[in-house]
Amino acid sequence: MKRYARNMLGYGQNAPYAAWPNKAKVAVQFVLNYEEGGENCVLHGDAASEAFLSDIPGAAPWPEKRHWNMESIYEYGARAGFWRLHRLFTEADIPLTIYGVATALARSPEQVQAMKDADWEIASHGLKWVEHKDMPEDEERRAIVEAIRLHTEVVGTAPRGWYTGRCSENTVRLVSETHQFDYISDTYDDDLPYWLEVGDHDQLIIPYTLEANDMRFATAPGWVTGDDFGQYLIDAFDALYEEGQKGRPAMMSVGLHCRLIGRPGKIAGLKRFIKHLQQHDDVWCPRRLEIAQHWAATHPHTRTERPSAMSQERFIEAFGGIFEHSPWVAKRAWALELGPAHDCAAGVHNALCRVFRSATHLERLAVLKAHPDLAGKLAAAGELTDESTAEQASAGLDYLSDDERKLFMQLNDDYVAKHGFPFIIAVRDHTKATILEAFKTRIHNANDQEFSEACRQVERIAQFRLQDHFS
């Protein structure tokens, strides 16, 4: 058994209706990352200085040395940038979610008090603003525990949201296993929150953003002027607002950093964006915690049986009859590289069809021969499968006049005599009249042509059966 861990489907075509409060067309959520004082620095016991997300072009770590310029740029964020942003958002009456690095918060008591006085949410941004990709799992687990402890000590309440940022492949799982958090944001994969099953725990994920984010002032390609950033935010908002007007309200995250957007020349574009969104009445600007609470109440998670997690026995039991009397198709499909994208009708159909298409000619012929005649002897004797009975009934083939029944019998006999397998058609695509028309036309096809057509019809029948199963 091969299983693919990544989820390439998500909500697919049928995303849930967000039902934001007051019928908002879009939820715009601002995050301010507070990292100043938690970055790599030899004063913090780190091996080298910081080199990430600053206005120093091509910055590199200085091993075993303090990088005075880098430190002072981070300090600008705490000393000046934070307060400029504090004034902007409190005057605009827009609440923020702070992603607070625990050690940075511990070194900034006045800023923490200002966050609390403004009733901003202070979520955890980890223990230190460092890379976790090479961190051993046990070490990262200990860092998560310490981040929660220190955050609670400094802020006075435990964090209810988490975002590491410079995370490892283990981060989301390790944070979820604490059962501590209303949400985790270490993903960038959707415009809506969603539930992630981590063992026996259902964890809410609220995706974050690296594109509607001022970090691109410090990366290439990136923003050059405040207007670059502001116009991008306006364009993103307008696109999401239009989707919301069409009944698909989503979420827009905006990521900010004190030392970046807190500079005068950069913040001007953000101000213009805030003015733009405040010209719309039906916009919700919550803290991230409110989004989590709304989603948990409006869209609680219900676990369902997932094909990619089924045992072979259960998979065959569930899908062995999709291809008529041919459970071997399901058996082979189970051994493919299935994943969350296969946990739907289209996913299982694709897996089954791959097996059918790659089977030998004789194997596919056996599947064709396993199908019953239309309105034939098995139907008359009540010996069809439940699926075939319902399908033939949907086209009225269970109520035929004596003449119609004789005609079907004769066509069945003539067709099998010529092609060596029963006439197969996805009856749900047809009426009784169009079935007869296709019957009379296809019987004259060359055998290879008709074999290919019959195989296509088998796949179409399987598609309908799977839609019934998943409905």
Side-chain angles (χ1 to χ4, degrees):
M1 179 179 68
K2 294 174 288 186
R3 292 295 177 261
Y4 191 62
R6 297 170 65 193
N7 188 340
M8 312 301 285
L9 176 62
Y11 288 123
Q13 298 183 64
N14 302 306
Y17 179 71
W20 301 132
N22 300 316
K23 299 181 180 179
K25 301 295 188 298
V26 59
V28 180
Q29 203 287 304
F30 292 89
V31 167
L32 178 59
N33 294 269
Y34 197 88
E35 299 154 351
E36 289 75 12
E39 78 278 14
N40 282 285
C41 179
V42 295
L43 293 179
H44 306 160
D46 301 306
S49 63
E50 185 58 70
F52 189 46
L53 291 189
S54 80
D55 287 321
I56 301 176
W62 289 10
E64 300 180 359
K65 291 183 180 179
R66 293 179 65 185
H67 192 315
W68 194 263
N69 292 344
M70 180 65 72
E71 289 180 22
S72 66
I73 284 175
Y74 268 75
E75 288 160 15
Y76 181 93
R79 293 160 58 116
F82 171 82
W83 299 109
R84 183 170 284 117
L85 289 160
H86 183 269
R87 289 190 294 271
L88 171 62
F89 282 97
T90 53
E91 290 172 6
D93 196 26
I94 295 176
L96 293 184
T97 288
I98 300 292
Y99 283 165
V101 174
T103 50
L105 296 175
R107 295 176 175 120
S108 299
E110 188 169 354
Q111 291 90 334
V112 170
Q113 188 61 51
M115 297 171 193
K116 295 170 66 176
D117 290 344
D119 198 25
W120 292 351
E121 175 198 2
I122 308 178
S124 180
H125 199 8
L127 179 62
K128 300 175 68 174
W129 178 230
V130 297
E131 285 288 357
H132 293 73
K133 65 182 179 66
D134 298 320
M135 189 176 290
E137 184 172 325
D138 287 345
E139 182 181 343
E140 185 173 6
R141 183 180 286 108
R142 289 192 297 271
I144 291 167
V145 171
E146 176 59 14
I148 296 169
R149 187 204 66 77
L150 181 57
H151 183 111
T152 305
E153 179 181 281
V154 170
V155 177
T157 56
R160 297 174 63 180
W162 180 281
Y163 174 72
T164 300
R166 300 161 82 170
C167 65
S168 76
E169 62 181 298
N170 301 313
T171 300
V172 171
R173 173 176 56 83
L174 293 177
V175 175
S176 179
E177 286 174 355
T178 68
H179 294 199
Q180 173 83 29
F181 295 96
D182 291 41
Y183 69 89
I184 298 172
S185 288
D186 275 300
T187 70
Y188 313 96
D189 51 3
D190 215 300
D191 296 315
L192 289 172
Y194 62 89
W195 295 95
L196 185 67
E197 296 176 0
V198 183
D200 61 358
H201 180 58
D202 299 330
Q203 178 64 61
L204 183 63
I205 304 295
I206 303 183
Y208 186 46
T209 177
L210 295 181
E211 43 86 38
N213 193 311
D214 69 353
M215 67 178 289
R216 291 180 61 183
F217 281 112
T219 61
W223 319 123
V224 177
T225 69
D227 268 345
D228 292 338
F229 184 44
Q231 190 58 52
Y232 185 87
L233 296 180
I234 290 171
D235 289 344
F237 171 83
D238 288 348
L240 289 171
Y241 188 84
E242 181 182 357
E243 291 179 9
Q245 289 179 312
K246 295 177 180 178
R248 299 187 301 275
M251 176 184 72
M252 178 179 177
S253 295
V254 180
L256 307 171
H257 298 77
C258 301
R259 64 192 174 280
L260 296 175
I261 200 67
R263 295 280 181 175
K266 296 171 183 172
I267 202 170
L270 176 62
K271 289 181 177 179
R272 282 188 278 275
F273 169 64
I274 291 174
K275 182 178 180 180
H276 178 75
L277 74 86
Q278 288 188 324
Q279 293 171 351
H280 300 75
D281 293 329
D282 42 2
V283 176
W284 185 37
C285 292
R287 304 178 303 173
R288 225 160 172 78
L289 182 59
E290 274 81 60
I291 292 178
Q293 292 169 330
H294 170 82
W295 205 263
T298 309
H299 303 284
H301 185 55
T302 300
R303 292 201 173 202
T304 57
E305 190 176 38
R306 296 184 292 112
S308 65
M310 289 178 178
S311 67
Q312 184 184 69
E313 180 181 13
R314 174 60 187 138
F315 192 89
I316 295 171
E317 179 186 3
F319 306 114
I322 299 298
F323 279 68
E324 192 85 5
H325 295 297
S326 303
W328 61 268
V329 178
K331 182 178 181 180
R332 293 184 193 176
W334 179 85
L336 295 175
E337 185 191 69
L338 304 183
H342 295 90
D343 294 335
C344 60
V348 175
H349 183 252
N350 182 267
L352 296 176
C353 288
R354 285 176 57 191
V355 169
F356 180 61
R357 294 166 191 164
S358 62
T360 66
H361 181 88
L362 288 177
E363 287 173 326
R364 285 181 289 156
L365 179 60
V367 173
L368 302 187
K369 288 183 175 181
H371 277 259
D373 291 333
L374 287 183
K377 296 176 181 178
L378 290 178
E383 297 179 2
L384 296 178
T385 63
D386 291 342
E387 293 86 354
S388 291
T389 298
E391 288 157 0
Q392 296 202 19
S394 70
L397 300 186
D398 55 340
Y399 288 102
L400 298 176
S401 66
D402 289 341
D403 289 343
E404 288 173 333
R405 186 172 290 104
K406 289 178 183 179
L407 177 58
F408 268 100
M409 293 287 193
Q410 185 60 55
L411 288 170
N412 281 327
D413 291 343
D414 293 345
Y415 184 94
V416 173
K418 178 174 181 180
H419 295 296
F421 49 84
F423 176 74
I424 301 172
I425 192 168
V427 295
R428 294 196 203 178
D429 285 327
H430 294 274
T431 64
K432 183 168 58 179
T434 60
I435 290 171
L436 279 171
E437 182 182 348
F439 217 148
K440 294 174 181 177
T441 300
R442 285 173 48 189
I443 197 171
H444 300 295
N445 287 342
N447 188 261
D448 287 349
Q449 179 186 358
E450 191 56 20
F451 181 87
S452 296
E453 180 59 30
C455 288
R456 282 193 290 271
Q457 293 298 321
V458 165
E459 293 185 10
R460 180 65 170 159
I461 292 168
Q463 184 178 14
F464 281 123
R465 291 179 177 180
L466 285 165
Q467 288 171 354
D468 291 343
H469 177 92
F470 281 90
S471 68

